[in-house]
């Protein structure tokens, strides 16, 4: 059976060549001392024809496979559609020493509407002992293809929100992909509802609010892609995705309403105090000092307007600092220090074009 995947697109496959061009423009020229070695490997080990203008090499750690250094080879046809992909364990240094191992080789077939077929022509089953099976390889290949022709907007680039499927033909694949999208509607609603229906004390949790809102926005973004998929392949299901968007938007409004209760809760003591000062004290206290109370009013209004948003901002910043800021920043800083100390070469990671400099 062939593995099929759909490249998420809102504008259609007509812009794939432009996206591919942007991807290629981000590549560097492979250093001269590596170019001949790479071309020999492509010709002798991968058995590809070496057209240096249509082959890219990606050096990175793959998400689904071994987290060690890997090399990915991509060959394009005249229309800048990927024809072949090879995944190799090892880096450029090991390639020079002849110590790399080919994990898998695949042929890629582009169908209409952004549907692609992935046909594994070879797979090193020794990697099954290392928890790398054929399914993981197919998923990794799909990630690579998607990253060339898709711009990540609604989710992190590491996520494959629509998994590739195995099918006997493209029609069966379209049905399976549609079912996957429809199931996601239910899954997202369950997840979002669990986050929205929180207890009273969770009103004060910025963490819970941000988690729920992020999930809602990601869900809406993915359902928009599901709507695009349905428009291309299953037009009779478009209304289901539109209803799902409306439902998620309603949930979004509910959680925003709960979130905005925070300033209201903080405002209640201030409102009570203002009522006592201006409605009760003038009636029972004849020495009521209007000047002092005017100052009280200004201070209370200032606290009412400034304090709740300030509270929200501080806790939101703290949540982002711990979730996204401190740990990644320290890690990135440390990686930069290590690279400088180790004097790593620039081409140890990146996208490289075999084409020679003009």
């Amino acid at each position: 059976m062939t593995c099929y995947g759909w490249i998420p697109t809102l504008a259609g496959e007509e812009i794939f060549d432009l996206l591919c061009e942007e991807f290629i423009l981000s590549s560097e020229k492979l250093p001269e001392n590596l170019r001949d070695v790479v071309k020999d490997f492509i010709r002798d080990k991968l058995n590809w024809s070496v057209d240096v203008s249509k082959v890219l090499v990606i050096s990175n750690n793959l998400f689904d496979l071994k987290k060690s250094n890997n090399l990915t080879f991509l060959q394009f046809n005249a229309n800048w559609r990927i024809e072949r992909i090879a995944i190799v364990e090892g880096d450029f240094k090991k390639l020079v020493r002849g110590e790399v191992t080919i994990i898998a080789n695949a042929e890629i077939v582009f169908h209409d509407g952004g549907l692609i077929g992935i046909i594994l022509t070879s797979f090193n089953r020794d990697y099954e002992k290392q928890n790398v099976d054929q399914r993981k390889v197919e998923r990794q290949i799909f990630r690579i293809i998607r990253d060339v022709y898709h711009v990540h907007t609604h989710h992190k680039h590491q996520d494959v929100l629509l998994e590739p499927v195995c099918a006997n033909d493209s029609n069966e694949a379209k049905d399976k992909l549609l079912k996957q999208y429809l199931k996601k509607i239910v899954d997202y609603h369950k997840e979002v509802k669990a986050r929205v229906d929180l207890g009273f004390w969770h009103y004060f949790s910025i963490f819970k609010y941000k988690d729920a809102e992020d999930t809602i926005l990601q869900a809406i973004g993915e359902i928009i892609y599901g709507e695009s998929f349905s428009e291309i392949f299953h037009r009779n299901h478009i209304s289901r995705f539109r209803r799902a968007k409306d439902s998620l938007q309603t949930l979004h409004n509910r959680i925003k309403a709960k979130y905005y209760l925070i300033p209201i809760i903080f405002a209640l003591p201030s409102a009570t105090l203002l009522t006592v000062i201006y409605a009760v004290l003038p009636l029972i206290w004849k020495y009521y000092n209007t000047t002092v109370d005017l100052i009280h009013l200004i201070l209370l209004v200032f606290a009412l307007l400034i304090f709740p948003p300030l509270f929200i901002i501080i806790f939101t910043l703290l949540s982002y600092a711990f979730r996204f800021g401190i740990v990644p920043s320290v890690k990135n800083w440390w990686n930069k220090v290590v690279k400088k100390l180790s004097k790593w070469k620039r081409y140890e990671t990146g996208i490289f074009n075999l084409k020679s400099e003009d």
Side-chain angles (χ1 to χ4, degrees):
M1 298 177 74
T2 302
C3 179
Y4 291 88
W6 182 65
I7 302 173
T9 176
L10 300 177
E13 62 179 332
E14 291 80 8
I15 65 166
F16 279 180
D17 55 342
L18 298 178
L19 295 173
C20 183
E21 182 180 355
E22 289 182 1
F23 184 83
I24 293 171
L25 287 175
S26 67
S27 66
E28 303 177 36
K29 300 300 180 183
L30 196 65
E32 287 288 346
N33 62 318
L34 293 174
R35 190 169 290 117
D36 290 338
V37 175
V38 171
K39 288 198 288 188
D40 290 342
F41 180 82
I42 292 173
R43 182 183 58 249
D44 300 334
K45 301 298 182 180
L46 300 181
N47 297 318
W48 295 359
S49 61
V50 182
D51 182 347
V52 296
S53 66
K54 290 183 172 57
V55 175
L56 291 183
V57 183
I58 303 176
S59 173
N60 62 352
N61 296 333
L62 298 179
F63 189 85
D64 278 317
L65 304 184
K66 295 175 66 63
K67 300 302 187 289
S68 58
N69 289 331
N70 296 275
L71 296 175
T72 304
F73 296 82
L74 290 75
Q75 188 172 50
F76 299 83
N77 61 20
N79 296 321
W80 292 108
R81 300 292 193 269
I82 298 174
E83 285 186 323
R84 296 184 181 86
I85 290 180
I87 299 177
V88 176
E89 182 185 0
D91 54 19
F92 285 118
K93 293 177 181 178
K94 291 184 178 180
L95 184 67
V96 172
R97 297 196 298 265
E99 298 174 355
V100 297
T101 304
I102 300 175
I103 298 177
N105 219 321
E107 293 183 357
I108 312 302
V109 179
F110 276 74
H111 300 269
D112 292 337
L115 189 71
I116 59 169
I118 301 170
I119 305 170
L120 280 186
T121 54
S122 68
F123 169 59
N124 190 336
R125 295 198 174 276
D126 291 340
Y127 284 90
E128 290 179 340
K129 301 175 184 177
Q130 305 177 43
N131 197 30
V132 177
D133 57 18
Q134 181 172 327
R135 178 63 177 161
K136 285 187 176 181
V137 172
E138 291 170 339
R139 188 164 56 238
Q140 182 64 71
I141 290 174
F142 173 67
R143 287 180 187 272
I144 295 166
I145 299 170
R146 182 206 57 184
D147 287 349
V148 175
Y149 300 103
H150 172 63
V151 178
H152 304 281
T153 53
H154 299 291
H155 54 90
K156 297 178 181 180
H157 73 279
Q158 293 92 346
D159 297 330
V160 173
L161 297 180
L162 186 69
E163 293 283 346
V165 298
C166 293
N168 293 309
D169 54 48
S170 61
N171 290 327
E172 182 183 353
K174 294 171 188 175
D175 291 339
K176 287 186 174 182
L177 290 170
L178 175 66
K179 288 181 180 178
Q180 192 178 149
Y181 263 131
L182 294 175
K183 184 177 184 300
K184 284 177 178 289
I185 292 176
V186 178
D187 292 341
Y188 270 123
H189 273 77
K190 288 181 180 179
E191 180 66 20
V192 172
K193 189 174 185 301
R195 294 175 184 271
V196 172
D197 292 336
L198 299 172
F200 174 80
W201 290 109
H202 285 140
Y203 287 149
F204 296 92
S205 176
I206 306 302
F207 300 93
K208 295 292 184 182
Y209 168 75
K210 291 303 298 179
D211 285 345
E213 184 174 54
D214 290 345
T215 302
I216 291 170
L217 295 178
Q218 178 170 302
I220 291 175
E222 190 170 359
I223 287 175
I224 289 173
Y225 281 122
E227 185 178 351
S228 177
F229 178 88
S230 184
E231 184 177 1
I232 296 172
F233 300 117
H234 295 280
R235 297 190 64 85
N236 56 321
H237 291 283
I238 294 178
S239 60
R240 302 173 75 172
F241 290 99
R242 291 176 179 170
R243 288 195 299 270
K245 278 194 304 181
D246 293 340
S247 176
L248 285 169
Q249 188 59 55
T250 300
L251 289 173
H252 194 195
N253 293 337
R254 283 178 58 191
I255 192 172
K256 283 195 296 185
K258 286 188 175 184
Y259 178 64
Y260 292 132
L261 281 176
I262 297 175
I264 296 175
I265 292 172
F266 276 103
L268 288 176
S270 300
T272 302
L273 187 57
L274 284 171
T275 301
V276 171
I277 291 175
Y278 288 94
V280 178
L281 285 183
L283 299 176
I284 65 176
W285 188 23
K286 63 180 179 179
Y287 300 105
Y288 181 70
N289 191 324
T290 307
T291 304
V292 173
D293 289 330
L294 182 61
I295 296 175
H296 289 170
L297 174 63
I298 294 173
L299 292 176
L300 288 171
V301 170
F302 180 81
L304 177 64
L305 295 177
I306 300 301
F307 182 71
L310 185 62
F311 171 84
I312 294 170
I313 291 171
I314 290 175
F315 275 84
T316 301
L317 290 176
L318 285 175
S319 69
Y320 274 105
F322 282 100
R323 287 186 60 197
F324 308 112
I326 294 176
V327 175
S329 298
V330 172
K331 183 178 178 182
N332 291 337
W333 173 81
W334 177 250
N335 287 339
K336 290 180 181 179
V337 171
V338 170
K339 285 187 178 182
K340 288 182 179 179
L341 293 176
S342 304
K343 295 182 179 179
W344 287 0
K345 294 184 178 179
R346 189 180 179 188
Y347 58 77
E348 285 303 323
T349 181
I351 305 167
F352 304 96
N353 197 332
L354 269 68
K355 186 176 181 180
S356 302
E357 295 281 359
D358 295 332

